[in-house]
Amino acid sequence: MMKALVIIAGLLIGIFAGATVLLFNPITFMQGAPAGLSGAIRSFEWQSGAGHQGMVLTPAGLLGFGTDTSGAPFRDPGIRYARAEVVSLDDEGEGTPALAVRLSALARSNSLLQARLGMATTWNVVWPGRGSVLLAGSETLWTPVRDGLWSALRGRGFHPGRARYPLPPVPGFGPSLLIAGSGEFAAASGSFREEFAPVDDAPGDLVGLRRLHLAIE
């Protein structure tokens, strides 16, 4: 009995020590800065729970274990770790809401040892009667995952501690840009970044309360 307890205690200590080393590896603090924006910046907000298909955006999903429980996941191996969302973007400047389709997929360069848990993302944002923009970029979600895991290790559940997490691009992916437009935005250029804010009733959902900051030049 005593031998079994010693083995279990050893395993638990080993798991805790390994997790601590992973979470506080110096590499995990070198995520890069969120994209700097210039020009006329508009901020849009959307809430977790909007209709989506494909992988769930949770820590398990980022590690390749999550599937969509609201419907059949994408079963083809080529899109198994992809996610499609249709969202209404509320303009925080009280402008006209926009309708958007957001497509994302796990970044191939993801690695726990290198603190990379990222998504490649494209947006098609439409303002009815005005035009649309096509955005392409990426986002790194390691920092909120790290904070949530550290909270869980301390017995407090998965609760990222900051009010907001600006999400930097995945290393090597380049900047997140407005790459095309139509209608009023036919000649537009610009850049964007995303932001994540945890919500109390769904702390493990990495959509949470999201913001899209779009700079149009």
Side-chain angles (χ1 to χ4, degrees):
M1 182 65 178
M2 182 59 68
K3 184 177 180 180
L5 290 176
V6 170
I7 292 174
I8 293 172
L11 287 173
L12 292 175
I13 292 171
I15 291 171
F16 183 84
T20 301
V21 170
L22 174 64
L23 295 179
F24 290 95
N25 185 325
I27 295 176
T28 70
F29 296 95
M30 296 184 290
Q31 289 291 318
L37 304 178
S38 62
I41 301 174
R42 300 177 65 179
S43 295
F44 301 90
E45 183 175 286
W46 81 99
Q47 179 71 41
S48 176
H52 79 276
Q53 184 70 291
M55 65 169 285
V56 292
L57 197 54
T58 62
L62 287 172
L63 294 172
F65 300 116
T67 58
D68 187 349
T69 58
S70 65
F74 296 144
R75 299 190 182 281
D76 187 280
I79 57 173
R80 181 179 177 185
Y81 300 117
R83 177 183 174 98
E85 302 174 67
V86 178
V87 298
S88 175
L89 295 176
D90 296 322
D91 192 332
E92 293 184 347
E94 299 183 357
T96 304
L99 181 65
V101 176
R102 183 179 188 273
L103 303 177
S104 55
L106 285 180
R108 290 183 178 272
S109 59
N110 281 357
S111 168
L112 275 179
L113 294 178
Q114 297 183 40
R116 291 186 178 182
L117 290 178
M119 304 285 291
T121 303
T122 62
W123 283 90
N124 187 11
V125 185
V126 180
W127 289 267
R130 295 184 57 195
S132 64
V133 294
L134 181 64
L135 314 175
S138 64
E139 59 183 14
T140 298
L141 289 151
W142 169 256
T143 303
V145 170
R146 181 198 65 202
D147 289 357
L149 291 176
W150 180 238
S151 172
L153 282 174
R154 291 181 292 169
R156 301 176 182 178
F158 186 94
H159 290 280
R162 302 183 195 175
R164 294 186 179 185
Y165 288 89
L167 302 176
V170 175
F173 272 57
S176 298
L177 298 174
L178 189 163
I179 59 174
S182 66
E184 293 181 18
F185 309 99
S189 62
S191 56
F192 72 98
R193 69 168 179 254
E194 295 189 37
E195 185 178 275
F196 163 68
V199 293
D200 291 338
D201 57 346
D205 188 336
L206 294 169
V207 174
L209 180 65
R210 283 293 195 108
R211 289 181 177 86
L212 170 70
H213 301 288
L214 173 61
I216 301 179
E217 301 175 8

